[in-house]
Amino acid sequence: MSVVEEFDALVLGSGEGGKCMAWHLAHAGQKVAVIEDRYIGGSCPNIACLPSKNIIHSASVANSVGHAAEYGTQISAFSVAMKAVQARKRAMVENLTEMHSQRFASSGATLVFGHGCFVDTRTLELTAEDGKSRQLSGRQIFLDVGAFATHPAIPGLTNAKPMTHVELLELEHCPPHLLILGGGYLALEFAQAMRRLGSVVTIIERAAQILTREDPDIAAIVADTLRSEGVEIVTGVSIESVSGMSGEQVTLHGNRKGRSYTITGSDLHVALGQSPNTRDIGLEAAGVAVTDRGYIQVNHRLETTSPNVWALGDCAGSPAFTHMSFDDFRIIRDNLAGGNRSSRGRQVPYCLFIEPELARVCLNEMEARRLDIPFRGAAIPVSSILRTRTTDETTGKLKVLIGDDDRILGFTALGARAGEMLPAVQLAMAEGLTYQSIAALIIAHPTYSEGRQTLFSTVSPRAAEM
Ligand SMILES: Cc1cc2nc3c(=O)[nH]c(=O)nc-3n(C[C@H](O)[C@H](O)[C@H](O)COP(=O)(O)OP(=O)(O)OC[C@H]3O[C@@H](n4cnc5c(N)ncnc54)[C@H](O)[C@@H]3O)c2cc1C
């Protein structure tokens, strides 16, 4: 029987929330160990947000070069070298790994590699790649094991060996014809990037529109933009079977509007969602319950059903964004210090990194109507922001929903640098300010942020004030 190594705190998985918790506790003088299977720092810097944005940026450069003549720069010929695109991304990931290793070292938290699994309520056994195992126990345990890409049980799909985002981000060539199953935000980011890098791309979506959670007018502008770049989008398709092999030739067989539908491509990427990494970590031995979808069951303080065990990030069913995992860390940290913070009612901002960007916080029209929340809406085309005239970035729309008390219920920005427009609105929302407080600001001209002010100035006053 091996000796059990004792720690004040154990963190399983070094994702955003987990690593921040480890660094915080270690800095506070606690003896902390983090068990990580393979990705130092979690998915975001290794296989998700940052590598995808790196490749998206390379694709954006290729797109700009392709349109250089429109801006007066003549380029006689150019080509994309995917190996160089990949090398740039890998160099960034290596750099981030180094940065994380240094951060672990300077924090004093011990990082140990292996697959962690509970053997009892306080003890995790980790099995390293060489098969050797160690047992670590902690007074407090934090679970941040993240999620993995899954696909539905469509006949032939598994045998076709479709790419997840992990394989797609490792490509050293452009697939001649990339089929993407799903029309959500990850699908669209990859679709635009791979098209710009040289692939023929077809998005196949089951619903009547891509981006099913967005207002139809916003989704339509995104679809038009992608189509204008040559991405084919086919909606209303239900796939019933798959034949062939991704990387060679792959065919999707299905149904569209009552007729049979077939499409053949060279490669297949399935972007149909994620499942939590909770199946093989011995949660039952720790008394940690999961939901019917396998997420770790937590209350609004992110406490699991086992005392002194918390869960953060994707595996806890928090909105699947790095910044939400970070906020989970802050909730637990503050509550451990005697606070009473809750994960309920948080703002969940997000940004879709296509060009133009799509960013949103809180309600859109569709959701407000579904929830029967009264609102006054205002919208402006981004072409009315004069800065966009200088850069030819005139595609998009800003939309805001205002409540009966003049407070902001939600803000959607589709346009250049949309992601950067959210925080000021979020701050106003968090502080309970009225929309007039943004409309009254003096904004530097000509900035993209002027659009926010124009938008808020067009909100109609309350009926009683008219
Ligand atoms: C392609 C892609 C692009 C994305 N882009 C964005 C974006 O732009 N912005 C954004 O906010 N979000 C983005 N996301 C979502 C974001 O990556 C996740 O929400 C975020 O990384 C979740 O972090 P986490 O803390 O839950 O865990 P993760 O970062 O997933 O970390 C979990 C860690 O646990 C480890 N682990 C799992 N099981 C075990 C075990 N048994 N033992 C030891 N270690 C284990 C894993 O190896 C992993 O390192 C993207 C996702 C994808 C797939």
Side-chain angles (χ1 to χ4, degrees):
M1 180 87 179
S2 62
V3 181
V4 178
E5 299 164 55
E6 306 275 346
F7 289 86
D8 295 320
L10 293 181
V11 179
L12 186 61
S14 69
E16 180 72 11
K19 69 194 175 199
C20 291
M21 182 58 73
W23 295 336
H24 166 70
L25 295 176
H27 277 304
Q30 295 203 25
K31 188 179 173 199
V32 182
V34 180
I35 303 170
E36 171 55 51
D37 218 349
R38 51 203 304 202
Y39 301 119
I40 303 180
S43 309
C44 169
N46 289 285
I47 52 162
C49 326
L50 299 177
S52 63
K53 269 77 242 181
N54 182 293
I55 287 180
I56 285 169
H57 186 69
S58 287
S60 174
V61 170
N63 185 57
S64 296
V65 172
H67 287 85
E70 293 165 28
Y71 299 84
T73 298
Q74 298 297 334
I75 295 172
S76 51
F78 78 99
S79 62
V80 171
M82 271 304 279
K83 281 196 161 71
V85 169
Q86 195 52 251
R88 189 180 88 86
K89 185 219 78 182
R90 286 184 186 145
M92 180 201 73
V93 172
E94 275 169 29
N95 211 278
L96 292 170
T97 303
E98 180 57 31
M99 189 193 88
H100 278 92
S101 301
Q102 283 173 9
R103 189 90 193 260
F104 273 107
S106 66
S107 74
T110 306
L111 179 62
V112 283
F113 289 99
H115 182 85
C117 183
F118 278 102
V119 291
D120 63 42
T121 51
R122 290 285 152 271
T123 314
L124 286 157
E125 181 167 79
L126 82 97
T127 311
E129 235 177 355
D130 60 8
K132 289 192 182 137
S133 63
R134 286 162 72 173
Q135 289 201 348
L136 278 55
S137 85
R139 284 188 300 107
Q140 295 179 323
I141 300 183
F142 304 91
L143 306 175
D144 184 20
V145 288
F148 65 101
T150 42
H151 58 70
I154 297 172
L157 184 53
T158 304
N159 288 343
K161 295 198 175 3
M163 289 184 284
T164 68
H165 59 280
V166 180
E167 293 82 37
L168 190 47
L169 286 168
E170 282 300 314
L171 284 178
E172 290 190 345
H173 70 281
C174 274
H177 185 180
L178 176 63
L179 305 179
I180 300 184
L181 206 45
Y185 88 96
L186 298 183
L188 301 195
E189 287 186 356
F190 281 126
Q192 188 181 52
M194 295 313 293
R195 175 72 196 130
R196 289 175 164 192
L197 292 169
S199 292
V200 171
V201 176
T202 306
I203 293 172
I204 299 110
E205 163 60 48
R206 190 173 53 180
Q209 73 170 50
I210 55 169
L211 296 174
T212 49
R213 291 183 191 165
E214 304 304 328
D215 285 342
D217 56 336
I218 293 291
I221 299 172
V222 173
D224 286 348
T225 306
L226 293 176
R227 285 191 174 116
S228 73
E229 293 193 20
V231 175
E232 186 189 13
I233 300 174
V234 193
T235 54
V237 182
S238 160
I239 297 300
E240 289 157 357
S241 67
V242 180
S243 59
M245 183 73 73
S246 177
E248 296 171 7
Q249 181 172 291
V250 59
T251 303
L252 308 182
H253 310 268
N255 196 290
R256 183 167 192 248
K257 296 180 181 161
R259 294 180 169 194
S260 76
Y261 175 84
T262 302
I263 184 164
T264 297
S266 59
D267 295 72
L268 176 62
H269 169 47
V270 178
L272 291 176
Q274 307 246 329
S275 294
N277 285 319
T278 52
R279 276 189 293 205
D280 54 356
I281 56 171
L283 290 176
E284 46 307 321
V288 175
V290 294
T291 67
D292 52 2
R293 294 181 58 214
Y295 290 95
I296 295 171
Q297 206 175 299
V298 289
N299 61 17
H300 66 106
R301 292 165 59 93
L302 301 165
E303 296 158 342
T304 71
T305 50
S306 183
N308 294 316
V309 181
W310 291 259
L312 318 82
D314 288 5
C315 72
S318 294
F321 299 107
T322 295
H323 45 275
M324 299 315 289
S325 181
F326 177 68
D327 193 54
D328 285 355
F329 148 67
R330 295 193 299 196
I331 288 172
I332 299 172
R333 177 199 64 192
D334 293 353
N335 290 347
L336 286 173
N340 190 21
R341 279 199 57 197
S342 168
S343 61
R344 288 198 198 119
R346 292 185 281 183
Q347 290 180 350
V348 182
Y350 59 87
C351 183
L352 165 59
F353 293 87
I354 50 168
E355 284 179 326
E357 289 178 0
L358 169 59
R360 176 150 80 93
V361 61
C362 297
L363 294 180
N364 63 10
E365 278 187 67
M366 206 167 59
E367 290 166 347
R369 290 209 173 89
R370 194 181 63 234
L371 298 168
D372 212 13
I373 295 174
F375 68 90
R376 279 168 291 147
I380 58 161
V382 297
S383 57
S384 65
I385 306 170
L386 296 180
R387 178 64 185 274
T388 70
R389 302 298 182 102
T390 68
T391 55
D392 279 352
E393 295 169 307
T394 50
T395 301
K397 195 171 188 175
L398 305 184
K399 294 176 76 172
V400 66
L401 271 59
I402 305 296
D404 284 344
D405 57 0
D406 282 350
R407 293 188 200 190
I408 304 158
L409 299 174
F411 174 62
T412 302
L414 172 63
R417 294 163 183 73
E420 315 298 333
M421 289 201 197
L422 290 191
V425 178
Q426 286 180 247
L427 185 61
M429 293 176 79
E431 294 302 312
L433 302 177
T434 63
Y435 75 91
Q436 290 96 334
S437 60
I438 289 192
L441 289 173
I442 299 171
I443 308 285
H445 172 77
T447 58
Y448 295 92
S449 289
E450 275 184 302
R452 228 173 12 209
Q453 188 202 24
T454 312
L455 173 72
F456 285 86
S457 305
T458 62
V459 175
S460 54
R462 279 187 265 183
E465 295 164 3
M466 290 173 77

